[in-house]
């Protein structure tokens, strides 16, 4: 039996007023960037490893599941829960760079871009480069086995991890960079070690399973656990270190990571290639793949991407004139030497002569111009979200094919869009060199027919990709969206290994249950966010990405801009309901928003700087202050208007 009240009573004493059960904070802190809406029963804001160990002990004592949250930028529901949400405060922020910047130690709460900023003077960076790097915490990046636009598979989290510091379900703190910690672990966790090595032995006896695992990880894949760790490594510490990569907070708490630093070459050039449609662009990708040593990245975008992006500030003017169906590939090449960079550019031009661009080939070494091109790609998700119709949700999925199957796979996906009535509002983009494509759809999930279309699309898509031997999840993590399809992609034998990994680390399923491993085959279509239209038109585009939070001075003191906007939606939703529970919650929100949304907002508009679509959440507080000070305004206005006669 789950005893949340027992957990709360003990936790509020242990964690000194940083445990919340009021509806306002539980709802607000429960918001993440995914399409799921789950409200935790309790929220714990923890500031040390010791507190996390105590939380694990309470979880075990009261049989209450924990879900660990970083920045909440995850898109597949892996940081959502209806149990106990654990959030880190700013204490988890230490950065330590090794000699000659060969590796970097990062506490769980370090933002990815801050790690790169610390490495900039060494011309180094971390390998993974997700589009959310300016907001995502490093623990989230590693827990999702993030890759990104430039790192491919070679420099993703899995292939650049060196060590981890992790708290297991029983409270043991394992530091895989510390021989003393390793020695103690081997003495106290023999059963865990034996079970994991037995799983490895099982794989080594099965050649077909080995072949499947190797094939699956030649391309981007975040479906299920990183079971390739059981094949890639012999040493148990290496195995455990790599199993935690991509584990989505379901095996333990990742407190610190050490990543290999990779070279950040100073000379860069970009080019835009245009083709008649997305299928033609996919066919060109094989030529680009042959230039792998020259290209840092190649990002593919369909016509819907270009059309959507053309409406926003800071993107190239020529986007407004591209013909219907035109697709684009943004490529980047880089080098330590500018002369060698120029040679790279010429080699790329020569190779692409067989695939002439439908618009003039545009190569640039100008940093500002290249940044404007990258702005198209990096901002596409929130930009598409802001352009959606009122009342619609943002669903984004990411899939992967072997390059030989990319054009055919995308052709099949387009057929599914048409079959399920998404042909007119789907957006396709991706990391071309990896065969990794993302799509964005914006259905009205309050509408029964559109909800069925969404559900059927996800199910049919999973079956189609599995038939190609591709990845149903390539980057964003399995989460709640793909947990019901892990067995479909991997087959019974490999899925059994995934389940055993979860059981070995978390037998009672108290750590982030239903993420990666779930018995609920309908999980992906449950607890979907209900999008309520707002009175404040300027807030409508928000999709809860959380990019704004880094700049907000009141984040963690009270609430962040993302949370304040989400509460406005919840306020409006509750106003439309007449049951007693909704009335009670509505009353609480109205009372609480005075402090959480108005009084603690600095009204500095710093959130607007980081928001991809320029939402100024400060207006909420300023409008409220204006309403509540009408009498004072009248006095001030009278004094101002009569200043010359009042002295």
């Amino acid at each position: 039996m789950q005893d949340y009240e027992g957990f709360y009573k003990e936790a509020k004493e242990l964690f000194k007023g940083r445990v919340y059960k009021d509806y306002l904070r539980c709802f607000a802190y429960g918001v993440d960037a995914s399409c799921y809406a789950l409200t935790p029963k309790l929220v714990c804001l923890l500031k040390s490893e010791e507190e996390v160990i105590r939380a694990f002990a309470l979880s075990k004592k009261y049989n209450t599941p924990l879900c660990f949250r970083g920045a909440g930028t995850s898109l597949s529901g892996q940081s959502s829960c209806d149990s106990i949400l654990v959030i880190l405060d700013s204490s988890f922020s230490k950065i330590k760079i090794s000699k000659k910047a060969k590796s970097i130690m990062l506490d769980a709460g370090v933002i990815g871009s801050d790690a790169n900023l610390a490495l900039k003077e060494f011309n180094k960076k971390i390998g993974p480069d997700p589009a959310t790097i300016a907001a995502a915490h490093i623990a989230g990046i590693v827990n999702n086995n993030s890759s990104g636009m430039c790192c491919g598979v070679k420099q993703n989290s899995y292939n650049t991890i060196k060590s981890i510091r992790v708290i297991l379900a029983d409270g043991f703190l394992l530091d895989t960079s510390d021989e003393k910690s390793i020695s103690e672990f081997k003495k106290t966790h023999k059963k865990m070690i034996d079970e994991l090595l037995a799983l490895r032995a099982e794989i080594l006896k099965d050649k077909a399973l080995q072949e499947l695992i190797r094939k699956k990880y030649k391309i981007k894949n975040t479906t299920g656990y990183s079971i390739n760790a059981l094949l890639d490594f012999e040493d148990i510490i290496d195995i455990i270190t790599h199993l935690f990569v991509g584990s989505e907070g379901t095996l333990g708490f990742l407190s610190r990571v050490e990543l290999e630093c990779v070279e950040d070459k100073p000379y860069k050039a970009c080019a835009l290639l245009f083709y008649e449609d997305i299928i033609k662009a996919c066919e060109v990708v094989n030529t680009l793949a042959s230039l792998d040593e020259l290209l840092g990245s190649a990002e593919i975008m369909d016509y819907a991407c270009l059309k959507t992006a053309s409406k926003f500030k800071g993107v190239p003017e020529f986007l407004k004139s591209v013909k219907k169906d035109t697709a684009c590939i943004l490529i980047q090449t880089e080098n330590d030497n500018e002369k060698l960079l120029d040679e790279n550019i010429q080699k790329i031009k020569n190779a692409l002569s067989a695939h002439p661009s439908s618009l003039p080939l545009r190569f640039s070494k100008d940093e500002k111009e290249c940044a404007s091109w990258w702005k198209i790609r990096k901002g596409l998700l929130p930009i598409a979200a802001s352009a959606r119709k009122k009342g619609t949700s943002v669903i984004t999925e990411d899939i992967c094919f072997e390059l030989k199957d990319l054009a055919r796979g995308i052709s099949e996906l387009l057929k599914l869009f048409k079959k399920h009535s998404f042909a007119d509002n789907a957006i396709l983009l991706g990391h071309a060199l990896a065969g990794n494509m993302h799509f964005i759809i914006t259905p009205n999930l309050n509408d029964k027919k559109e909800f069925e279309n969404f559900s059927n699309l996800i199910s049919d898509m999973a079956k189609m990709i599995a038939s190609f031997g591709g990845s149903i999840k390539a980057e964003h993590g399995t989460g709640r969206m793909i947990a019901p399809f892990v067995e479909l992609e991997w087959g019974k034998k490999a899925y059994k290994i995934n389940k055993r990994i979860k059981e070995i680390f978390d037998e009672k399923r108290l750590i982030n249950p239903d993420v990666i491993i779930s018995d609920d085959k309908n999980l992906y279509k449950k607890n979907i966010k209900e999008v309520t239209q707002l009175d404040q038109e300027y807030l409508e585009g928000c999709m809860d990405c959380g990019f704004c939070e880094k700049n907000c001075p009141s984040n963690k003191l009270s609430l962040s801009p993302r949370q304040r906007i989400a509460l406005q939606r919840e306020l409006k939703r509750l106003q439309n309901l007449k049951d007693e529970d909704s009335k009670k919650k509505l009353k609480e929100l109205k009372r609480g928003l005075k402090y959480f949304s108005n009084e603690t907002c600095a009204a500095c508009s710093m959130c607007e700087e980081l928001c991809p679509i320029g939402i100024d959440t400060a207006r909420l507080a300023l409008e409220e202050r204006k309403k509540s000070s009408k009498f004072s305004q009248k006095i001030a206005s009278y004094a101002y208007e009569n200043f010359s006669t009042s002295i």
Side-chain angles (χ1 to χ4, degrees), residues 176 179 182 186 193 196-197 200 229-242:
T176 67
E179 287 302 324
I182 292 170
K186 287 180 176 178
I193 291 168
L196 288 171
L197 291 177
R200 171 173 161 77
L230 293 162
L231 188 57
D232 292 343
F233 302 98
E234 295 180 18
D235 182 81
I236 189 62
I237 299 304
D238 286 334
I239 290 170
I240 290 172
T241 297
H242 289 82

Side-chain angles (χ1 to χ4, degrees), residues 27-90:
F27 174 84
Y29 279 113
V31 172
D32 71 1
S34 77
C35 62
Y36 295 99
L38 289 153
T39 301
K41 293 177 179 64
L42 298 172
V43 174
C44 298
L45 184 61
L46 304 187
K47 59 197 308 180
S48 68
E49 291 175 334
E50 290 75 18
E51 289 192 343
V52 173
I53 291 169
R54 289 171 186 164
F56 268 127
L58 292 182
S59 169
K60 186 176 180 181
K61 181 177 179 179
Y62 295 107
N63 195 37
T64 49
L66 302 177
C67 171
F68 297 105
R69 162 80 62 83
T73 58
S74 295
L75 293 163
S76 300
Q78 53 268 63
S79 59
S80 303
C81 76
D82 58 2
S83 53
I84 298 171
L85 183 64
V86 177
I87 296 175
L88 312 183
D89 83 343
S90 56

Side-chain angles (χ1 to χ4, degrees), residues 194-414:
D194 288 346
E195 288 178 335
L196 288 171
L197 291 177
L199 274 185
R200 171 173 161 77
E202 188 179 321
I203 293 171
L204 292 176
K205 288 177 184 176
D206 191 327
K207 287 186 178 180
L209 187 54
Q210 290 179 51
E211 191 177 312
L212 173 66
I213 293 169
R214 288 197 176 99
K215 182 183 177 184
K216 294 290 289 176
Y217 286 104
K218 281 181 181 175
I219 61 174
K220 288 188 177 184
N221 191 333
T222 58
T223 307
Y225 290 109
S226 298
I227 63 173
N228 48 332
L230 293 162
L231 188 57
D232 292 343
F233 302 98
E234 295 180 18
D235 182 81
I236 189 62
I237 299 304
D238 286 334
I239 290 170
I240 290 172
T241 297
H242 289 82
L243 278 176
F244 266 87
V245 178
S247 63
E248 299 177 36
T250 64
L251 302 181
F253 172 76
L254 199 60
S255 171
R256 190 184 72 200
V257 302
E258 180 186 9
L259 292 176
E260 174 191 343
C261 300
V262 302
E263 196 175 357
D264 186 16
K265 295 175 182 175
Y267 297 102
K268 298 179 176 70
C270 296
L272 289 175
L273 318 173
F274 293 90
Y275 297 98
E276 58 196 54
D277 58 36
I278 189 72
I279 300 301
K280 177 63 179 173
C282 285
E283 291 168 356
V284 176
V285 169
N286 281 301
T287 297
L288 294 176
S290 69
L291 303 170
D292 188 41
E293 295 300 315
L294 302 178
L295 290 176
S297 59
E299 295 296 304
I300 193 167
M301 295 168 272
D302 73 352
Y303 175 71
C305 291
L306 304 179
K307 183 181 176 183
T308 302
S310 68
K311 299 172 185 175
F312 287 85
K313 293 178 182 177
V315 297
E317 278 294 313
F318 60 79
L319 284 187
K320 295 175 182 177
S321 60
V322 296
K323 291 181 180 177
K324 192 176 185 300
D325 295 328
T326 298
C328 172
I329 305 176
L330 168 60
I331 62 174
Q332 180 168 296
T333 181
E334 49 198 59
N335 209 290
D336 292 321
N337 181 293
E338 190 169 14
K339 185 180 178 183
L340 292 177
L341 178 70
D342 291 333
E343 290 177 11
N344 285 357
I345 292 170
Q346 192 54 53
K347 288 175 185 176
I348 293 166
K349 286 181 176 178
N350 292 343
L352 288 171
S353 61
H355 306 282
S357 176
S358 59
L359 290 174
L361 176 63
R362 303 174 66 92
F363 246 112
S364 176
K365 292 193 287 185
D366 182 84
E367 193 174 333
K368 286 186 178 179
E369 185 171 29
C370 289
S372 75
W373 297 353
W374 275 106
K375 185 175 181 178
I376 306 169
R377 172 60 186 88
K378 290 180 178 180
L380 269 172
L381 177 57
I383 286 171
S386 70
R388 72 191 190 275
K389 292 179 182 177
K390 290 182 179 180
T392 58
S393 297
V394 182
I395 309 289
T396 179
E397 280 306 302
D398 64 307
I399 61 180
C400 196
F401 300 97
E402 290 184 68
L403 282 182
K404 66 181 178 63
D405 297 324
L406 181 60
R408 213 156 44 96
I410 295 306
S411 180
E412 291 300 312
L413 184 61
L414 292 174

Side-chain angles (χ1 to χ4, degrees), residues 75 300 302 305 377 380-381 384 394-401 410 413-414 416-417 422 425-430 436-443 453-454 457-462 464-465 471-473 476 481-482:
L75 293 163
I300 193 167
D302 73 352
C305 291
R377 172 60 186 88
L380 269 172
L381 177 57
V394 182
I395 309 289
T396 179
E397 280 306 302
D398 64 307
I399 61 180
C400 196
F401 300 97
I410 295 306
L413 184 61
L414 292 174
L416 291 180
F417 287 157
F422 290 112
N425 76 357
I427 288 177
L428 264 174
L429 59 147
N436 173 203
M437 297 295 293
H438 303 253
F439 68 81
I440 303 166
I441 55 173
T442 54
N453 288 342
F454 150 72
L457 172 67
I458 299 299
S459 179
D460 283 355
M461 176 200 73
M464 181 270 288
I465 294 163
S471 306
I472 304 172
K473 259 307 181 188
H476 297 165
M481 182 67 80
I482 301 303

